[in-house]
Amino acid sequence: MMNNRYVSICTLKVNDFSRCDIVQDQFTGRNCISKTVLLNSDPVYIHQFRMEIQVLSLIQHPFMPQIIDVYETKDSLVLIENKIPGISLNQWKQEHPVLKYLIRDYLLIQAMNRFEYLHSLDILYIDIKEENFMIHRNHLYLIDFNSCTYNHSSYVSFASYSNASPELKNTESKDRTSDIYAFGTFMKTFYFTNPFIIRTCLNKESKKRFSSFSSLKIAFIIRKFITILISIFLSAILLFVVNQRKEDILLQAYLKDPQNQILFLNAYEKDLKKQKGNQTEKIQMNLYQWIEKGFIKDCLKNSKISYYLMKQAILSQNDM
């Protein structure tokens, strides 16, 4: 039964015990999300619905829903929350197959921040998966808090089997590392391989996982920093090899045709730029090396090259 204040626009999801609608608040004119559970439904559903209300009443975060209203009718319990903008993360990833890899670190850091905030309130999210994120202008919003529980709780009602940590499947106490495990399965959707950080998150033994999202975030940033340094180092090596290869190509081209003035100048002046010291010292050293290596003897038949080398000798102020 809908409160007169809220007019239904469309139904997003419905089953025998609950429903979710987009409604319009007649007081403000804004569209909201209405979640309803029947009072005669399974007590587990009732419990988790009330749990979601408790969690939303505690959080004050710009990227999470805010409670607008809660009311009870004769046969149902209704939660009204603000409507989060954007589309679901899994839909966004399908529409942006390349961008999802280009900005994945930015998105994952955002997600870590969301769960770090919840853990600061002693709340475990439990059901971490793509469907529970909305994305708008590259900002991640966390939705659907009906699987939440409190830290060190031994009872969890809902969790997707695919991302559930081993301790969720028994009566062991759940703590922050249970969310770390689920987050590891979430991270896998952004990678082609399983880097060390993901393998650590997915360790079957909770004590061997990251102890918190802050420690996970630090490890993640350090890994990214090391990756950048390695990329810079490899790029520098590649650039050096390419330049060295280019120099070899210029010299070999000249040696094959030593009377070609253009090939001579390209190779000679390339070596000249590599010399150290002032201009006179560079010219002296370059002439010396080219004479010692026998690069000059075959080019002197070209009068223009001979004239160029004579000028170089004069500039070198060398008495040889």
Side-chain angles (χ1 to χ4, degrees):
M1 180 178 178
M2 191 70 66
N3 187 307
N4 290 334
R5 174 180 170 180
Y6 305 102
V7 176
S8 178
I9 295 176
C10 67
T11 299
L12 299 176
K13 185 169 56 177
V14 63
N15 58 38
D16 292 338
F17 302 105
S18 64
R19 64 182 295 148
C20 181
D21 301 275
I22 297 178
V23 299
Q24 186 178 69
D25 186 343
Q26 299 303 290
F27 287 0
T28 64
R30 294 179 179 178
N31 289 348
C32 309
I33 296 295
S34 171
K35 296 182 177 181
T36 304
V37 64
L38 297 179
L39 293 175
N40 64 351
S41 63
D42 189 314
V44 172
Y45 286 100
I46 301 283
H47 170 79
Q48 288 308 115
F49 193 85
R50 294 187 185 278
M51 184 67 191
E52 181 168 17
I53 293 172
Q54 288 182 32
V55 170
L56 290 178
S57 67
L58 291 173
I59 63 178
Q60 295 292 325
H61 197 285
F63 298 108
M64 297 180 193
Q66 301 295 310
I67 287 182
I68 294 176
D69 200 358
V70 177
Y71 62 90
E72 187 173 332
T73 69
K74 64 178 181 180
D75 56 4
S76 64
L77 186 60
V78 182
L79 164 65
I80 306 293
E81 60 186 48
N82 64 306
K83 185 178 182 296
I84 298 296
I87 59 176
S88 66
L89 179 59
N90 54 343
Q91 180 184 341
W92 180 88
K93 287 172 70 176
Q94 291 173 8
E95 295 177 1
H96 301 84
V98 176
L99 185 60
K100 70 179 181 181
Y101 294 112
L102 295 178
I103 66 169
R104 69 181 174 190
D105 294 339
Y106 173 66
L107 295 177
L108 289 171
I109 288 290
Q110 286 189 67
M112 292 179 206
N113 289 337
R114 308 295 179 260
F115 298 116
E116 187 175 12
Y117 170 75
L118 286 179
H119 286 188
S120 72
L121 301 176
D122 243 13
I123 296 169
L124 306 182
Y125 188 80
I126 301 299
D127 199 20
I128 301 175
K129 57 186 179 182
E130 291 179 350
E131 293 84 351
N132 290 344
F133 285 98
M134 300 287 285
I135 184 167
H136 179 62
R137 296 179 180 174
N138 294 335
H139 290 295
L140 278 184
Y141 292 79
L142 188 60
I143 61 172
D144 288 343
F145 294 78
N146 60 347
S147 295
C148 289
T149 191
Y150 290 111
N151 193 26
H152 299 300
S153 171
S154 59
Y155 175 77
V156 173
S157 299
F158 301 132
S160 301
Y161 186 83
S162 60
N163 63 6
S165 62
E167 61 271 17
L168 289 187
K169 302 167 187 176
N170 53 48
T171 57
E172 292 181 29
S173 175
K174 286 71 178 169
D175 59 22
R176 294 179 175 89
T177 63
S178 301
D179 274 353
I180 296 289
Y181 184 97
F183 193 80
T185 65
F186 171 70
M187 288 180 70
K188 284 176 65 176
T189 64
F190 286 89
Y191 287 86
F192 294 108
T193 59
N194 283 355
F196 170 77
I197 285 182
I198 292 180
R199 296 198 302 274
T200 303
C201 290
L202 296 177
N203 198 298
K204 299 297 182 183
E205 298 183 41
S206 61
K207 292 182 179 179
K208 293 183 179 180
R209 299 173 202 151
F210 293 103
S211 60
S212 65
F213 274 99
S214 59
S215 61
L216 169 58
K217 186 163 57 174
I218 291 171
F220 187 83
I221 293 172
I222 290 174
R223 175 186 176 274
K224 183 63 178 177
F225 180 71
I226 292 174
T227 301
I228 292 173
L229 288 180
I230 292 174
S231 298
I232 294 173
F233 177 71
L234 293 177
S235 297
I237 291 177
L238 180 61
L239 184 62
F240 173 79
V241 171
V242 169
N243 286 337
Q244 191 66 41
R245 179 63 177 162
K246 184 178 179 181
E247 292 170 8
D248 291 343
I249 291 173
L250 290 174
L251 182 59
Q252 292 302 320
Y254 157 70
L255 292 176
K256 288 180 181 179
D257 188 5
Q259 295 183 45
N260 186 308
Q261 183 183 3
I262 294 176
L263 295 177
F264 165 77
L265 289 174
N266 285 339
Y268 182 86
E269 292 182 356
K270 187 72 176 179
D271 278 356
L272 182 62
K273 290 178 181 178
K274 293 184 341 184
Q275 304 300 341
K276 296 180 180 179
N278 58 38
Q279 188 64 18
T280 299
E281 291 170 340
K282 287 182 177 180
I283 293 173
Q284 288 177 352
M285 184 57 66
N286 209 45
L287 276 172
Y288 174 77
Q289 290 179 353
W290 271 59
I291 292 171
E292 281 290 303
K293 294 176 181 179
F295 293 164
I296 288 178
K297 62 180 181 179
D298 293 327
C299 69
L300 296 177
K301 295 176 183 179
N302 185 308
S303 60
K304 291 183 178 180
I305 295 177
S306 298
Y307 178 70
Y308 176 88
L309 288 172
M310 184 173 65
K311 287 177 61 179
Q312 289 285 290
I314 293 171
L315 290 172
S316 71
Q317 301 174 0
N318 199 321
D319 295 331
M320 292 189 302

